[in-house]
Amino acid sequence: MSLVEEGVDDYTQDGTVDIRGNPVRRLKHGGWTACSFVVVYEVFERMAYHGISSNLVLYMTKKLHQGTVKSANNVTNWVGMVWIMPVLGAYLADAHLGRYWTFVIASAIYLMGMSMLTLAVSLPHLKPPHCSEANVNNCQKASTLQLAVFYGALYTLAVGTGGTKPNISTIGADQFDDFDPKEKAHKLSFFNWWMFSIFFGTLFANTVLVYIQDNVGWALGYGIPTLGLAISIAIFLAGTPCYRHRVPAGSPFTRMARVIVAAGRKWRVRVPSDPKELHELDPQEYAKKGKFRIDSTPTLRFLNKACVQTGTTSPWKLCSVTQVEETKQMLRMIPILIATFVPSCMVAQINTLFVKQGTTLDRSIGSFKIPPASLSGFVTISLLVSVVLYDRFFVKIMKRWTKNVRGISLLHRMGIGLILHIVIMMVASFTERWRLRVAREHNLVESGGQIPLTIFILLPQFVLMGAADAFLEVAKIEFFYDQAPESMKSLGTSYAMATSGVGNFLSSFLLSTVARITKRHGHHGWILNNLNASHLDYYYAFFGVLNVLNFVFFLFVAKLYVYRAEVSDSMVMLKEELKGLEKVHNQEARVT
């Protein structure tokens, strides 16, 4: 009896199992059906997260009475922690609990933090009294207890996101089998549509929720996203019977450490010219555990010493070729990771200095007042439009030229995003120079009063940021997931999260450092509580130069980067299928 008759070929070949650990069939588990629960979860979760982060800087200045630099740094430090914690969450998922259970436990912590935060902004004795003074230094500061409850809630929330962020997108991508050409094709579009879907939640947060917070009340403005998070968790749990799961493969950090230590201990050992002489397990060993065997590569050749056989079987002295190659893959991505720190620092300005700029401008449309944080909605709209245009038109056009199933490589896509970041900061600098000139013309520098310019002069920098995200942020998530070894996907995805965390910490460092240095020797300073007396135009120009230097570094490391080999031939089959479709298209063109 053939495999088809037995139905064996209907099982996934990538080692995924159901919730009970049994092999799964394609038609009963995974695919877009399972992904629909994951994507809908993310819409509500993004609404919850951005419902807090988008307007947080204004809550800290208006309600906690903090200055510009302090409030901006408190926001970026918290956001940095939100994006750094996924490294821990990815470790727990890959090494111990698995992605599903890590996600479920972290979701409970996330919801607890959101609930605490809602109480902190709602109960009168948990926040300082209202103050209408223009200078926040004259207002009563929050007490130690009030700050402890508020920041305790924020950082509890951050711990929760550490287990959800690196695993939810990975769970979604795991629903497609790399060994099936059709499912591999679906995975190529997954990250584009993933970003497209989640930003619907972001758009709602940046428009409706920030308006409620500014004009109705913070209690309702935080209560709605908390309820939304509870709904999103229920939706995710409802899809449990449909999901494909991956079995934890052990600590990726331990496996990587063993390779580095073993190579270091045998630094004098000669690597044989024939890769077949290196230590490797039988293919059956990998098949039993649902893992993938990887052939030896010449890159980072020093690490190959770890799998040279010297008579010992200690895991800290002898590693398999596959284990060495997995370590190489994770290390090769680090220079690319570093190149994304600066653009992540630029993204941090959206919810801090960009929002503070908006508070100084005319926000009126008739009797309606535009919340400054709502301009972040244009980042979302721009990203949504850009992703659709990219996926539906740009990729199809570029496929014919490059013969690449993605249209252009992931690194090329990231490079375009980096160029856009240079443009963004130059535009922001010129716009700020215009705003300061008008402030001087109307004698509003010392008073810090509202400038007679519409808030929509800031629109170009928000719209361009969305377009940059469509290239850089989407490619970044896909790159670190795609290039990570199969047993370290959560850790690879956490690289994309960590770059945002480091970018926010870098933003705090640069803001504090520049503010301090520019005040030396009696100078006025670039960043003050009164933005009309500040020089954000210089600060943004400095960012522009920083982006140029970072782009040069990216070009260097991207040129040296070697893409990992595919674990299956599905990409080859996709390319062949693409060539076949192109031949049919050309024949039809000749007929017509």
Side-chain angles (χ1 to χ4, degrees):
M1 185 179 291
S2 69
L3 291 177
V4 175
E5 291 173 334
E6 293 177 355
V8 175
D9 67 327
D10 187 40
Y11 286 93
T12 58
Q13 300 177 44
D14 59 358
T16 50
V17 296
D18 64 16
I19 192 68
R20 296 182 179 85
N22 301 316
V24 295
R25 290 189 171 183
R26 302 183 197 282
L27 297 180
K28 293 186 177 181
H29 297 83
W32 285 111
T33 300
C35 277
S36 62
F37 291 96
V38 176
V39 169
V40 172
Y41 160 85
E42 193 67 4
V43 172
F44 281 92
E45 191 277 333
R46 289 297 86 189
M47 180 193 77
Y49 171 71
H50 286 282
I52 303 301
S53 63
S54 296
N55 225 9
L56 188 57
V57 70
L58 293 189
Y59 183 85
M60 290 183 173
T61 53
K62 290 182 177 180
K63 299 300 180 181
L64 298 184
H65 311 144
Q66 298 177 353
T68 299
V69 173
K70 185 176 182 180
S71 59
N73 282 349
N74 281 335
V75 171
T76 50
N77 286 337
W78 171 71
V79 173
M81 185 60 68
V82 166
W83 293 107
I84 284 293
M85 288 303 294
V87 176
L88 175 60
Y91 163 75
L92 291 174
D94 283 341
H96 302 291
L97 301 177
R99 290 161 194 166
Y100 177 84
W101 289 112
T102 301
F103 176 87
V104 170
I105 294 170
S107 293
I109 299 173
Y110 191 172
L111 183 59
M112 181 173 66
M114 288 287 291
S115 302
M116 290 170 57
L117 191 62
T118 302
L119 291 176
V121 303
S122 303
L123 301 179
H125 64 276
L126 291 180
K127 53 187 177 181
H130 176 72
C131 179
S132 57
E133 291 280 347
N135 187 352
V136 295
N137 292 327
N138 298 329
C139 297
Q140 180 179 328
K141 302 301 181 184
S143 68
T144 302
L145 174 63
Q146 290 167 344
L147 291 176
V149 173
F150 182 76
Y151 286 113
L154 279 180
Y155 283 92
T156 298
L157 188 160
V159 171
T161 60
T164 60
K165 286 185 181 298
N167 293 306
I168 186 62
S169 60
T170 334
I171 289 172
D174 285 345
Q175 305 312 307
F176 302 102
D177 185 356
D178 275 342
F179 286 89
D180 183 86
K182 291 183 179 179
E183 292 197 14
K184 180 71 174 182
H186 289 311
K187 184 183 282 191
L188 293 178
S189 291
F190 169 73
F191 288 102
N192 281 338
W193 291 106
W194 166 261
M195 294 293 288
F196 180 84
S197 299
I198 66 176
F199 274 88
F200 274 113
T202 306
L203 182 61
F204 181 84
N206 290 335
T207 52
V208 178
L209 288 182
V210 296
Y211 176 80
I212 292 173
Q213 290 164 3
D214 280 6
N215 297 279
V216 180
W218 292 90
L220 182 61
Y222 278 21
I224 292 175
T226 300
L227 177 61
L229 180 64
I231 293 173
S232 70
I233 294 171
I235 290 172
F236 174 83
L237 293 175
T240 298
C242 303
Y243 300 142
R244 299 176 186 175
H245 304 265
R246 287 194 181 275
V247 178
S251 169
F253 296 113
T254 301
R255 297 205 304 277
M256 293 169 65
R258 285 174 175 169
V259 170
I260 295 170
V261 170
R265 285 179 169 181
K266 296 188 286 188
W267 65 278
R268 292 184 177 181
V269 174
R270 186 184 66 84
V271 178
S273 57
D274 186 359
K276 294 181 180 179
E277 296 180 26
L278 299 174
H279 173 64
E280 181 58 294
L281 303 179
D282 292 332
Q284 291 81 4
E285 291 294 321
Y286 293 107
K288 289 178 184 177
K289 299 177 181 178
K291 294 183 179 181
F292 304 91
R293 179 171 171 171
I294 308 173
D295 293 331
S296 180
T297 62
T299 60
L300 298 176
R301 184 174 172 81
F302 173 79
L303 294 178
N304 287 348
K305 294 177 182 292
C307 47
V308 176
Q309 303 183 65
T310 58
T312 180
T313 58
S314 169
W316 291 94
K317 291 183 179 180
L318 181 64
C319 304
S320 67
V321 170
T322 295
Q323 189 176 341
V324 170
E325 291 304 316
E326 288 177 339
T327 303
K328 287 182 181 180
Q329 288 171 15
M330 297 306 295
L331 293 179
R332 280 201 299 261
M333 291 192 291
I334 290 178
I336 303 297
L337 175 70
I338 294 172
T340 61
F341 291 165
V342 170
S344 293
C345 180
M346 303 305 104
V347 174
Q349 310 314 307
I350 296 174
N351 293 333
T352 53
L353 294 182
F354 284 11
V355 172
K356 288 289 289 182
Q357 281 179 283
T359 62
T360 69
L361 297 167
D362 181 9
R363 299 182 283 122
S364 301
I365 299 181
S367 60
F368 178 75
K369 286 273 190 182
I370 301 171
S374 67
L375 284 191
S376 300
F378 287 98
V379 177
T380 305
I381 294 171
S382 174
L383 185 144
L384 293 177
V385 172
S386 298
V387 165
V388 172
L389 293 176
Y390 183 91
D391 196 62
R392 290 303 181 193
F393 299 101
F394 183 80
V395 171
K396 291 182 179 179
I397 293 171
M398 295 306 298
K399 274 181 182 179
R400 297 178 183 177
W401 290 353
T402 65
K403 312 305 179 186
N404 187 318
V405 293
R406 287 188 172 93
I408 57 176
S409 72
L410 294 173
L411 290 179
H412 283 139
R413 185 172 181 176
M414 291 170 68
I416 295 172
L418 292 177
I419 292 173
L420 287 175
H421 274 286
I422 298 172
V423 176
I424 290 166
M425 299 323 296
M426 291 295 99
V427 169
S429 180
F430 285 121
T431 301
E432 178 63 7
R433 184 173 297 182
W434 177 20
R435 190 188 70 83
L436 292 175
R437 188 185 76 241
V438 174
R440 289 192 297 269
E441 291 172 352
H442 289 80
N443 299 316
L444 296 170
V445 174
E446 296 301 324
S447 65
Q450 186 181 90
I451 297 172
L453 281 174
T454 175
I455 193 173
F456 289 114
I457 66 166
L458 301 178
L459 202 56
Q461 62 204 55
F462 281 93
V463 171
L464 285 170
M465 192 68 80
D469 284 352
F471 284 92
L472 181 58
E473 295 303 311
V474 177
K476 186 172 70 176
I477 294 174
E478 186 174 354
F479 175 83
F480 290 120
Y481 174 87
D482 182 78
Q483 293 298 296
E486 297 301 318
S487 61
M488 299 182 183
K489 290 297 187 186
S490 291
L491 182 60
T493 304
S494 74
Y495 272 23
M497 313 293 176
T499 179
S500 297
V502 174
N504 276 274
F505 289 132
L506 180 61
S507 176
S508 296
F509 169 76
L510 290 175
L511 186 62
S512 298
T513 303
V514 170
R516 184 179 65 255
I517 291 176
T518 55
K519 282 184 180 179
R520 288 179 179 174
H521 310 299
H523 291 292
H524 204 53
W526 287 4
I527 303 109
L528 308 170
N529 290 341
N530 179 1
L531 290 192
N532 292 354
S534 301
H535 263 299
L536 286 184
D537 55 334
Y538 295 169
Y539 190 56
Y540 290 157
F542 163 70
F543 273 162
V545 173
L546 198 60
N547 274 287
V548 171
L549 297 175
N550 183 71
F551 180 67
V552 173
F553 171 72
F554 173 79
L555 290 178
F556 175 74
V557 298
K559 186 175 179 62
L560 298 177
Y561 185 78
V562 178
Y563 285 92
R564 78 178 181 95
E566 291 289 335
V567 297
S568 72
D569 61 353
S570 59
M571 288 296 289
V572 176
M573 295 174 68
L574 275 172
K575 290 179 180 179
E576 294 299 323
E577 187 176 324
L578 182 63
K579 289 180 181 178
L581 291 173
E582 186 177 1
K583 288 180 180 179
V584 172
H585 175 78
N586 291 337
Q587 290 173 356
E588 291 176 348
R590 284 195 293 269
V591 171
T592 54

